[in-house]
Each structure stands twice: as structure tokens, then as C-alpha cells.
Amino acid sequence: MTYFHAGHILGAAIVKVVIQGDHQSKKLVFSGDLGRYKDPILYPPSRIPKADIVWIESTYGDRKATEQKPEEELARAIRETFDRGGLVIIPAFAVGRTQLLMYHIYQLMEKGKIPKAPVFVDSPMAIDATRLYLDFHTDHRLTAMLEEEHHPFKHPQLRYFQKQEQSMSLNEFRGNAIIISASGMATGGRVLHHLFHHLPHEKNGVIMVGFQAEETRGRRILEGEPSVRIYGNEVPVRAKVYTVEGLSAHADQDELMDWAEGFCEKPKMTFIVHGEKKSAEALSVKLNEELGWNTIIPQYLESFVLFEGI
């Protein structure tokens, strides 16, 4: 087994498995979650030249990323919320998304595009993950930046909240501030009590920064439902909800195709995995029509014979 940069989150890997039989060897390649090609922190997904069988994710197999810069959308959402005297809440995955947000927010403050205000990272897992960026600084692009006195993961506005009491103190916080807390789809974690206390107030802003799966609380907020159930209560959604595209850690359709084009030869079979039905089908058609790949969208518990007599 050999691991290659996948670019999705720190440490994410594409896996190449070589199976040696009595007469020949076969190469299996699992894309895992593929990242963005122009991510400011992580290296792009590695290209693999040859594979007999490929498994490729399809999270964004049916869509292309917006051309607008995510920093600009993020800045606008934060400025508008601050102008209303409100608090910004950002549900974000602890590994990857939180650190990307910290990077962008720091850059925006340094450039004067948003006011300098407290930034609370309220997730023990996110804090632990952030330490890994410092420990493994050669595995991402921020090596030089992290040598400065102030950087995205250490500056005067940034506050890490590990303890539950610290987290609960934010329930009564008034004024301009940014709370970044897990989970990214608002399915659990500390972000729920922030949403519980701050969603009902019109001056506040909730910024959705990643894919929201069907049936999740984040998806319902994003789709404009008037209330969501939290802790057994129907909580009215009066805060302004923003969507910032381009911060997703998943490759879009063009980038998935770009990665597929890195193979010098067509795989014998390609399994389209990790995506909702619509996105998997769209990527399957694209790979088949443009690259001539034999694509399969496997059903739950379906099994396949990949090789015989190797």
C-alpha cells in the first residue's frame, strides 16, 4: 500500500494497493475524499498514472465551484452581521474546515476587510487538530507563515475554548464576535447550544461553509425552514443565514475530472462512491462520455468479482 496526498484535510490520503498474484500484479486506487486544487493550506491531490480498478468519490460530482472568491463572501457576511450589532456563528468541521476558516478570517482582519473582533474556536477536537498543523508543518503550505509571531493559529483576537464552562459563557455574549464550532452540519456538538441561543435573534448571522447532507439540521437551516428542533425544542430561525461557497474541502466536478485525467490508461472498472444519487450519476456520465471509462455506481451490499486467477 502506498499513500499520496489527497488534499482534503491534513493527513488525508489517496491509497494505491498493489496485489501480487502468481502470474501478475494488479493496482487498485482509492481516491478517498479529494480536496481542492487551489486550497491555500493543503497540497493538491496527487495524480496516479496507472490503475486497474479505481474508486472515486462523487460528493460534488454534479456541480462546479463558484468563481467568486470565498474570502469576499465571508467578509461580506461578517461585515453585515457586525453592522447589525450581531454575533457570527459558523458551524464547521473540527478537522480541516475550522483551520481554513481561521486562515481566511486572519487574512481578512490583517487586510482590514473585516473589523478585528474576538474569534472563539469552541471545539476541543478542532483545537487538537490545529496543534497538528503546527506539529506537521511540512505537510501543508503554511510553513513560512507559522514562523511569524502572529499567524492564523495564534494572534491577539483568537481564543481557544476547551472547557465546557468557557463554551457556555458565550450564550450570554453580546457584541461583535465570531464563534467557530463543530459540527459542520449542526448534527451535534457544541455548536448546537450556540444555535439554540442565537438563532432566534435577527441581528445575528449564521454562515454555512460546507456541504450539508440531506436530512441534517444544517440542510434544513440552509433551505430556509422557519424553525429547527434543538434539544427537543422548536427554535425559530430569525438570524440571517449566509452560504459561502468555495470553502468546501471537496473537489468539484472539474477537479474530479482533472484528477481522473491524470491516469495514463483507462482503468478496467471505476466505482463511483461517496456521493448522493444525483451527483454520482452526473459524474458517471461525465467519465463515460469524456474519458470513455467503464463506470459503476454500486448499490448497498452489492458485490463484485474484480479479478480471477491472478
Side-chain angles (χ1 to χ4, degrees):
M1 298 174 71
T2 311
Y3 298 87
F4 303 87
H5 283 296
H8 176 62
I9 59 175
L10 187 69
I14 298 160
V15 184
K16 181 177 76 173
V17 181
V18 178
I19 300 175
Q20 183 64 51
D22 293 334
H23 308 292
Q24 55 186 307
S25 64
K26 299 292 183 181
K27 294 184 179 70
L28 314 181
V29 173
F30 300 83
S31 76
D33 286 337
L34 294 174
R36 310 302 309 278
Y37 276 77
K38 295 181 180 179
D39 189 283
I41 298 178
L42 299 174
Y43 297 122
S46 302
R47 288 189 163 202
I48 314 297
K50 292 184 180 181
D52 294 288
I53 311 291
V54 170
W55 286 258
I56 183 171
E57 67 119 319
S58 58
T59 308
Y60 286 150
D62 63 337
R63 69 199 84 174
K64 298 180 182 181
T66 175
E67 293 298 319
Q68 191 170 356
K69 294 183 179 179
E71 263 194 11
E72 295 175 1
E73 296 179 59
L74 186 63
R76 180 179 61 82
I78 292 170
R79 285 197 306 268
E80 287 184 6
T81 302
F82 283 2
D83 287 346
R84 295 193 300 270
L87 189 70
V88 172
I89 300 169
I90 311 179
F93 294 111
V95 184
R97 193 67 45 80
T98 292
Q99 292 75 30
L100 182 60
L101 282 164
M102 292 163 70
Y103 170 84
H104 283 303
I105 289 168
Y106 174 74
Q107 293 286 84
L108 290 171
M109 286 183 176
E110 289 298 296
K111 295 173 184 175
K113 293 187 175 181
I114 61 173
K116 290 189 175 182
V119 179
F120 300 100
V121 176
D122 185 26
S123 165
M125 184 184 289
I127 294 167
D128 290 343
T130 303
R131 291 195 186 104
L132 295 176
Y133 283 76
L134 302 173
D135 293 341
F136 296 93
H137 57 85
T138 58
D139 288 320
H140 55 72
R141 302 179 192 263
L142 299 186
T143 303
M145 186 177 283
L146 296 184
E147 293 175 354
E148 300 295 326
E149 180 183 0
H150 294 149
H151 53 72
F153 307 142
K154 189 186 80 171
H155 57 88
Q157 285 70 45
L158 186 61
R159 304 173 192 182
Y160 293 107
F161 276 11
Q162 277 272 17
K163 297 178 181 178
Q164 189 174 7
E165 310 85 74
Q166 294 174 307
S167 177
M168 293 178 69
S169 71
L170 294 175
N171 296 342
E172 307 304 322
F173 189 93
R174 298 293 179 267
N176 292 347
I178 300 167
I179 300 174
I180 305 172
S181 188
S183 71
M185 298 185 194
T187 53
R190 289 185 178 181
V191 76
L192 289 186
H193 72 246
H194 300 307
L195 293 173
F196 183 85
H197 286 275
H198 299 296
L199 265 180
H201 305 292
E202 294 179 355
K203 64 182 180 180
N204 295 329
V206 177
I207 306 178
M208 310 305 283
V209 293
F211 182 73
Q212 304 295 319
E214 291 179 348
E215 306 302 326
T216 62
R217 191 179 283 107
R219 182 74 160 250
R220 293 197 291 274
I221 293 172
L222 191 60
E223 291 179 344
E225 292 195 11
S227 67
V228 290
R229 198 165 186 80
I230 303 176
Y231 303 140
N233 298 288
E234 286 297 323
V235 177
V237 181
R238 298 194 185 103
K240 185 171 176 59
V241 179
Y242 299 88
T243 305
V244 175
E245 297 185 6
L247 288 177
S248 174
H250 284 279
D252 69 358
Q253 186 186 73
D254 287 343
E255 289 164 323
L256 289 170
M257 291 297 295
D258 194 335
W259 184 75
E261 288 169 3
F263 290 93
C264 301
E265 300 173 2
K266 290 188 291 187
K268 294 177 178 63
M269 285 192 288
T270 299
F271 292 97
I272 313 292
V273 295
H274 199 293
E276 293 176 0
K277 186 173 184 288
K278 182 169 172 281
S279 61
E281 289 175 347
L283 183 61
S284 178
V285 169
K286 191 95 169 163
L287 289 168
N288 182 267
E289 292 182 349
E290 295 189 13
L291 302 182
W293 283 20
N294 173 29
T295 56
I296 300 165
I297 303 174
Q299 300 300 307
Y300 179 60
L301 294 181
E302 190 173 5
S303 61
F304 298 83
V305 176
L306 302 182
F307 311 109
E308 293 182 0
I310 68 166

